[in-house]
Amino acid sequence: MRFIKFNDEQIDSFLFMELSDLAKALTKQNDVEVDYSVQSYLDPIEKKIYVSHFWDHREKSETINGLKSDVFLRCIGNFHHTNYHEIGLFIEKTKHLKFPSFARQLAMLLEDIRIEELCKKERAGTKKVFSVRRDLYRKYFQSQLIIHQERSISTDALFNYLYLQLTAQSPINNHAALIENIQRMLPFLESKLFQVYECHSTNQVLNLVTEMMEVIEEVLEKDMLNTYFFLADLHYDLLENPILFDDLKRKTKLKNKDSLKEAKKGDEDVHKNKLPTWHSETSKPTKSFLQFELEQGTNTTINGDGIIREGDDTDQALGMIQGTSKKAKKNDYSKLEALENRKDKRDASNEFAYGLENKYAYPVFKDSTTPTPEQIDKYKANRNEVQLFQKKLKMMIQKTLEHKKTLPRNDLHLGRLNKKLLRLVTDENPKLFYKKQEKAPQIDAVFTLLVDCSASMYDKMEQTKYGIILFHETLKSVQVPHQIVGFWEDTNEASKTRQPNHFHTVISFESSLKQQSGPEIMQLSPEEDNRDGYAIRHMTKQLIRRNEKQKFLLVFSDGEPAAMGYERNGIIDTHEAVLEARKLGIEVLNVFLANGDIDEATKNTIQNIYGKYSIFVNKIEELSEQLFPLLKRLLLKTI
């Protein structure tokens, strides 16, 4: 099991999940993803928001505000207000320009300025975030301007200067002068530059850039050396053309202008099998119940709009039209089409049943084998070491059940009315009710113990088995059904489109209460990677089929999820799997195993996934002692 790192730096998983939730909320798209990149941009085809590493290595508040500003720009601005068809055409034009990098970065800069104003107008709460963003960028570009002027990198220096001018709060310019050729064209560039605040569309911004590039290419000699703003060269032609509201209201004119003079009012009739429309081939004008917009036909003097009135609750929701048809001589594919439609719906619903990040994962179920004599002997030795805890728990549960059984059933405040009503007068707080004697209470619960069998469990697996044996023996002694499953992903066979995940059920629900069960636990062993969210969803699916009232899922692990293409988004996927299980009434708890002190960042990450339902075991040797109060609390809760 590995920790999530980028360039040897650990990512704040909670902040990453917060940014993902923010992106989904602003775009109202559940399939939108957030990822880190060198520069921030939106991929509208893959629906992916990239936030920039530019905000790393800063004060925590500055990093958070910077990353949020990226999300606001892409999700409020680019997602709703940027025309990517125009962007695609502009990118094709830049391929023929002398300085394509300068043109693209300038276009991205001006578009960001335009949509930033829209974001602040639509959501006033973003002003503070954008203020922090602008201050940090201004400090950065001021330092870059000095460096590029000293090194005579005139193109980058010009871009730095344009940004500082565009975002300046004061008309006084304190920047060092640029080279003479660039200085001469600055008045024209600045006059065009500030027009961005008057632009209302992406097309207007790109036209500004095109006009500025015509002058810039005559003066500059080299293209930009650095990349400050990134305009991705994607297949924007794959995007669907947006349908505007005016397009929905537009009425197409008829090709011919001849009219029917003999049309009169009041000539309505009822058509049972036919639905005529007016066109050049009709012999008689009639009024029909429905109206159609025709591209070819005849103008008429009959008013087709009718009288506008407010609808009633009793109005027809659907108009039905009956007609006749003949059987075709060709084969009937209606049944096949229905089957395909039903299959498509089923596939669509099941495609991401185990999470978007796990669409290429598939389960490989493995049952336990007959224990060897060595495994039986080792199990008995381990069981003897936890037997003290197990007997304490069993005795405590039995006493609690007996106490509930012998509780007084008379003189209650609720229940059936007693015949002794004199206490209504004599007692200040009379207890006049009783309840019938009930059967002894039973533990109506079921447990699943999900054990991480990744390679990092190599030095913890043997001690982990002590805790698992404690659970198994205790649950078996109080007749609570349970299963114990080890999980891992096969790294050697995993690929981008094929990821086998193994589930080794050493103790099944059916065998959990058998007296001889238990030695199979010794078959658990460290294997390879782990895809936690996928495993939790599989166990959730099995638990919801059970009839017990209370369901518990305990996950034994020693770190964050790590599998093929799962390192970064695995935290979010596991968190979502835990939330889904809890919504279905399953209590999910994590037992975090370590050999030594657990750093604060790791604790925060695990708590981000499982919430407050996490137990941290610093010394694996003390696992049984720390699991004792947990198991006690869970069992008492079920009674």
Side-chain angles (χ1 to χ4, degrees):
M1 190 173 282
R2 301 182 297 273
F3 289 104
I4 297 178
K5 292 187 177 181
F6 185 90
N7 291 342
D8 297 328
E9 295 179 9
Q10 190 168 331
I11 291 173
D12 186 342
S13 57
F14 181 76
L15 178 59
F16 187 72
M17 289 190 287
E18 185 180 350
L19 296 175
S20 298
D21 291 342
L22 181 62
K24 292 176 182 178
L26 293 175
T27 59
K28 297 180 180 179
Q29 302 283 331
N30 290 329
D31 55 346
V32 167
E33 298 179 24
V34 173
D35 205 347
Y36 287 93
S37 181
V38 178
Q39 301 295 338
S40 171
Y41 66 97
L42 167 67
D43 184 344
I45 301 171
E46 297 293 334
K47 290 188 178 180
K48 209 164 189 178
I49 311 295
Y50 289 94
V51 293
S52 175
H53 280 288
F54 174 79
W55 311 110
D56 295 344
H57 307 294
R58 302 179 186 275
E59 294 291 334
K60 186 174 181 180
S61 60
E62 293 178 345
T63 299
I64 293 173
N65 285 320
L67 293 172
K68 285 185 176 180
S69 69
D70 281 347
V71 174
F72 288 147
L73 275 179
R74 307 306 157 220
C75 296
I76 303 175
N78 290 138
F79 194 86
H80 295 287
H81 300 289
T82 297
N83 188 328
Y84 279 98
H85 289 282
E86 295 291 340
I87 293 290
L89 296 175
F90 176 77
I91 290 176
E92 290 300 318
K93 291 180 182 178
T94 59
K95 294 178 180 179
H96 306 288
L97 295 179
K98 187 178 179 182
F99 307 127
S101 178
F102 191 98
R104 293 184 186 185
Q105 293 194 57
L106 182 60
M108 192 64 184
L109 166 61
L110 298 185
E111 181 68 0
D112 278 359
I113 295 295
R114 182 183 76 87
I115 62 178
E116 180 181 325
E117 297 303 315
L118 292 174
C119 293
K120 292 188 287 188
K121 184 178 179 181
E122 291 183 11
R123 294 180 179 266
T126 62
K127 290 181 179 179
K128 178 183 176 181
V129 171
F130 283 118
S131 176
V132 174
R133 176 189 179 90
R134 186 163 292 193
D135 290 343
L136 292 175
Y137 260 125
R138 283 189 59 80
K139 291 177 183 178
Y140 174 69
F141 276 106
Q142 284 171 352
S143 63
Q144 289 293 299
L145 177 60
I146 295 172
I147 293 172
H148 292 143
Q149 285 179 322
E150 291 176 352
R151 298 178 180 178
S152 299
I153 307 176
S154 55
T155 308
D156 286 55
L158 173 60
F159 190 88
N160 301 147
Y161 177 86
L162 293 178
Y163 179 87
L164 293 172
Q165 286 295 99
L166 192 61
T167 58
Q169 300 294 326
S170 171
I172 301 175
N173 184 357
N174 297 324
H175 311 306
L178 301 174
I179 61 175
E180 184 179 353
N181 291 341
I182 297 178
Q183 200 72 31
R184 286 200 300 267
M185 70 174 176
L186 283 181
F188 170 78
L189 293 181
E190 291 178 359
S191 66
K192 291 293 182 182
L193 193 68
F194 290 106
Q195 291 181 19
V196 69
Y197 291 104
E198 301 174 2
C199 292
H200 302 291
S201 66
T202 305
N203 189 39
Q204 292 178 348
V205 169
L206 299 179
N207 289 337
L208 270 181
V209 175
T210 302
E211 294 176 10
M212 295 172 69
M213 290 305 300
E214 291 176 357
V215 177
I216 290 172
E217 289 191 341
E218 295 179 0
V219 177
L220 297 178
E221 297 179 357
K222 295 181 180 180
D223 203 354
M224 287 184 66
L225 183 64
N226 300 298
T227 301
Y228 303 101
F229 298 93
F230 183 65
L231 188 60
D233 188 0
L234 305 173
H235 296 286
Y236 296 111
D237 54 328
L238 299 177
L239 293 172
E240 296 180 0
N241 290 317
I243 300 177
L244 303 178
F245 183 67
D246 292 338
D247 296 331
L248 297 175
K249 298 192 299 181
R250 186 176 63 245
K251 294 182 179 180
T252 306
K253 295 183 179 180
L254 298 177
K255 291 184 178 180
N256 56 315
K257 291 293 182 180
D258 52 334
S259 59
L260 293 173
K261 297 180 180 180
E262 61 269 38
K264 298 179 181 180
K265 293 182 179 181
D267 56 350
E268 295 172 306
D269 54 4
V270 178
H271 305 279
K272 294 182 178 179
N273 297 326
K274 296 181 180 180
L275 181 64
T277 55
W278 299 299
H279 51 83
S280 298
E281 287 75 23
T282 55
S283 58
K284 294 182 180 180
T286 59
K287 283 186 176 181
S288 62
F289 179 67
L290 299 178
Q291 298 180 34
F292 291 89
E293 291 185 1
L294 303 176
E295 294 185 357
Q296 296 184 358
T298 301
N299 292 334
T300 176
T301 56
I302 297 177
N303 184 11
D305 292 334
I307 301 174
I308 300 174
R309 67 175 180 85
E310 186 177 354
D312 297 327
D313 292 339
T314 56
D315 283 352
Q316 277 184 275
L318 179 66
M320 302 297 293
I321 303 175
Q322 293 182 348
T324 60
S325 61
K326 294 182 179 180
K327 184 178 180 180
K329 296 181 180 179
K330 296 182 179 180
N331 295 331
D332 182 12
Y333 295 102
S334 59
K335 293 183 179 179
L336 178 60
E337 183 179 355
L339 287 173
E340 289 177 351
N341 291 337
R342 189 163 56 191
K343 180 178 180 297
D344 292 341
K345 291 179 180 178
R346 184 177 66 252
D347 292 346
S349 61
N350 294 334
E351 185 179 2
F352 305 123
Y354 296 99
L356 180 62
E357 300 298 326
N358 309 310
K359 58 184 177 181
Y360 298 117
Y362 63 92
V364 179
F365 296 103
K366 178 183 177 183
D367 295 328
S368 60
T369 58
T370 303
T372 63
E374 292 79 8
Q375 292 174 343
I376 295 174
D377 293 339
K378 195 171 184 180
Y379 178 79
K380 289 179 178 179
N382 292 349
R383 183 181 60 186
N384 292 335
E385 295 193 23
V386 300
Q387 200 166 18
L388 178 62
F389 296 110
Q390 181 260 324
K391 287 183 176 179
K392 281 184 179 180
L393 284 171
K394 180 181 178 181
M395 189 176 299
M396 178 195 64
I397 296 300
Q398 287 177 343
K399 286 183 177 180
T400 304
L401 291 174
E402 186 64 25
H403 177 68
K404 290 212 168 201
K405 180 180 178 182
T406 57
L407 277 176
R409 311 300 294 171
N410 295 319
D411 300 333
L412 303 175
H413 286 293
L414 296 172
R416 299 183 174 214
L417 184 63
N418 202 315
K419 294 181 179 180
K420 300 177 182 180
L421 302 178
L422 182 60
R423 284 173 294 178
L424 185 62
V425 180
T426 59
D427 294 353
E428 183 179 351
N429 187 18
K431 298 179 180 179
L432 305 175
F433 300 90
Y434 73 98
K435 290 184 179 180
K436 284 187 175 183
Q437 189 68 25
E438 296 179 356
K439 295 180 180 179
Q442 298 292 329
I443 300 178
D444 189 13
V446 63
F447 283 74
T448 290
L449 275 63
L450 188 60
V451 186
D452 171 20
C453 289
S454 61
S456 60
M457 288 286 288
Y458 178 79
D459 58 339
K460 309 178 188 75
M461 183 59 75
E462 292 305 315
Q463 292 293 333
T464 302
K465 291 175 184 178
Y466 282 100
I468 296 171
I469 291 171
L470 172 62
F471 264 86
H472 171 64
E473 288 296 328
T474 304
L475 294 174
K476 182 170 64 171
S477 66
V478 293
Q479 296 298 301
V480 175
H482 56 280
Q483 70 170 351
I484 301 171
V485 182
F487 72 98
W488 70 91
E489 180 173 290
D490 193 332
T491 308
N492 296 326
E493 296 184 11
S495 64
K496 291 184 177 180
T497 58
R498 187 175 179 274
Q499 295 146 7
N501 278 256
H502 295 258
F503 294 93
H504 186 188
T505 306
V506 292
I507 300 292
S508 64
F509 290 120
E510 293 75 16
S511 64
S512 61
L513 302 182
K514 293 180 179 179
Q515 190 61 33
Q516 69 274 18
S517 66
E520 295 85 357
I521 295 174
M522 309 313 296
Q523 297 175 10
L524 291 172
S525 61
E527 302 289 345
E528 299 174 42
D529 283 346
N530 58 306
R531 191 176 291 268
D532 292 24
Y534 184 69
I536 289 173
R537 287 186 175 93
H538 267 284
M539 296 304 104
T540 299
K541 189 176 180 181
Q542 294 181 12
L543 279 173
I544 59 176
R545 295 173 182 167
R546 303 287 302 183
N547 296 323
E548 287 79 6
K549 184 178 180 181
Q550 290 183 295
K551 303 176 177 67
F552 298 94
L553 173 59
L554 275 72
V555 183
F556 291 78
S557 66
D558 70 334
E560 298 172 4
M564 171 71 71
Y566 199 65
E567 286 84 357
R568 184 168 300 141
N569 294 327
I571 291 178
I572 297 178
D573 182 66
T574 306
H575 176 67
E576 290 176 349
V578 172
L579 292 180
E580 291 167 9
R582 287 174 179 164
K583 287 178 181 178
L584 295 171
I586 300 172
E587 295 196 36
V588 184
L589 300 94
N590 173 253
V591 180
F592 186 86
L593 311 171
N595 273 329
D597 295 334
I598 305 172
D599 61 87
E600 196 64 30
T602 303
K603 278 189 177 181
N604 291 336
T605 299
I606 298 302
Q607 288 176 340
N608 291 341
I609 296 175
Y610 295 97
K612 60 182 180 180
Y613 302 98
S614 299
I615 296 175
F616 295 93
V617 182
N618 293 4
K619 297 180 180 179
I620 194 66
E621 297 82 6
E622 301 175 358
L623 177 61
S624 300
E625 298 176 15
Q626 296 198 38
L627 288 181
F628 177 79
L630 170 65
L631 186 52
K632 174 183 174 182
R633 187 170 69 250
L634 295 179
L635 287 175
L636 287 177
K637 184 177 181 180
T638 62
I639 300 176

